Amino acid sequence: MQRARESWLRVRTSTLLLAKWLVLAAVVGVLCGGIGAAFYHAIVTVTSLRTRYPWLLFTLPVVGLVIVAVYKVTRTEGQGTDAVIDAVQDGKPLQVLLLPAIFVATVLTHMAGGSAGREGAALQMGGDIGWHAGKLLHLSDHDCRVATICGMAAFFTALFGTPLAATMFAMMVINVGLVFYAAFIPAYAASLVAYGLCTVLQVTPVRFTITAPDTAPLPLVQTAGFGLACAAVTMFFCAFLRFMGRRMQRWFPSPWRRVLVGGVIVVAATLLCGSMRYNGAGTEVIQQAIEQGQALPQDFLLKILFTAVTLAAGYKGGEVVPSFFIGATFGCVAAPLFGLPAGFGAALGMVAVFCGATNCLFSSLALAVEVFDAQGLLFFGVVCGICHALTGYTGLYSHQGFVTAKMESEYHTEQKGHY
């Protein structure tokens, strides 16, 4: 009788907890899906506008000043993806005005031709929504951290249409080697709600068609060699981002002057290139590299330069879509040197650089499953494993923790990345 009572109490407690998290997931999923769809369509609209009116590029320096003013007015200076990571790691609060600030700033950056992605905004807006939803529901401190992860996953899903990869990414990006398993059900549920809503609101998920080579020893060995090259590119990308960030702050301590100079540099670089190929997110270039096997040898290097200057100057967006661009264009050019098809190499490079830059191995494999319909998954496992292992403690997020060593069976105490 006692055992039956204990079993009933456990079942009742678990049921109540599940109900609580599903309610939170529904709230967060609807908010992130709705705002995420609006954000997606805003980015598409301003990108189309910039393509139709190329002269908008010359407004970039002025737009930069507006972005600085927005962050000063909302008092969200210095708030970025690292602040969301801090909210989960240490329970630090997020400011509610971070959401409109990053929304407006990212849309303006894309409109004027800054080289940036959109996932940085997604993680920040989603984390902000999750955190404040948890507070409104009077959740405990640690439950608010789970709610923050829910928001990150749901908003990432809203933009990319990858609920499983987004959930795993939000759970794993905070501390490498530590997975917030308790967040899986609420985060995945919120992601599915956001995904369903965004499907109704005509948000196009990221999907590519590829043809993988036959699984055989030689292609797998060639893929391993290609993974070494992807690791080198990833480390250079992350190092150059940090280098430009430090240099721009040292050379131009004033955010007004820094964003103005950075905008002028991006405009001048665009004119020197003779095209706007490296402005904005560059999704068309990614698609050409993967589905048509077409990319220029200098594409990945110039995208690194444009992105580093844009973000170091103070423009907003994110680094993940640029990492897709860099990996896809590098893979398209370099893969044939290793005996791999150009288009398939672009797909491998896209996921490998994302993996090395975010230090999220299994979420990268989930991304490959959802974006490429699991084609060539064994090859993705090889290239991601090598890139993850060899990039060490580098990465896109300076506050990302490393609980375990990548290649050694040991634990760290509050180990941060070496940037």
Side-chain angles (χ1 to χ4, degrees), residues 248-413:
M248 289 291 281
Q249 288 188 359
R250 181 179 301 176
W251 293 336
F252 309 104
S254 168
W256 303 98
R257 184 175 299 176
R258 184 164 61 246
V259 78
L260 189 63
V261 172
V264 171
I265 293 174
V266 172
V267 172
T270 304
L271 295 177
L272 287 174
C273 291
S275 74
M276 300 183 72
R277 186 176 179 87
Y278 310 107
N279 303 92
T283 51
E284 299 85 0
V285 178
I286 297 171
Q287 184 173 8
Q288 288 176 1
I290 295 173
E291 296 189 340
Q292 301 175 27
Q294 298 176 0
L296 301 176
Q298 68 272 22
D299 277 345
F300 77 98
L301 287 172
L302 288 175
K303 188 62 174 179
I304 290 174
L305 173 64
F306 273 72
T307 303
V309 173
T310 297
L311 298 179
Y315 295 92
K316 304 301 177 181
E319 306 92 341
V320 167
V321 175
S323 78
F324 289 169
F325 185 113
I326 293 160
T329 54
F330 172 76
C332 185
V333 173
L337 302 178
F338 293 87
L340 297 170
F344 184 63
L348 289 176
M350 173 184 135
V351 178
V353 173
F354 169 78
C355 177
T358 61
N359 297 298
C360 294
L361 176 59
F362 293 105
S363 53
S364 300
L365 295 178
L367 182 74
V369 169
E370 293 183 291
V371 172
F372 301 111
D373 197 25
Q375 294 294 312
L377 187 58
L378 292 181
F379 294 94
F380 283 102
V382 170
V383 75
C384 287
I386 290 175
C387 199
H388 175 75
L390 297 184
T391 49
Y393 300 114
T394 61
L396 298 176
Y397 312 117
S398 59
H399 289 200
Q400 183 180 49
F402 286 81
V403 179
T404 61
K406 286 187 176 182
M407 297 295 290
E408 299 177 36
S409 55
E410 62 181 46
Y411 290 89
H412 297 305
T413 302

Side-chain angles (χ1 to χ4, degrees), residues 140-160:
S140 66
D141 173 67
H142 281 82
D143 283 350
C144 281
R145 302 186 195 195
V146 173
T148 304
I149 293 176
C150 291
M152 294 167 66
F155 216 109
F156 196 101
T157 299
L159 297 186
F160 293 96

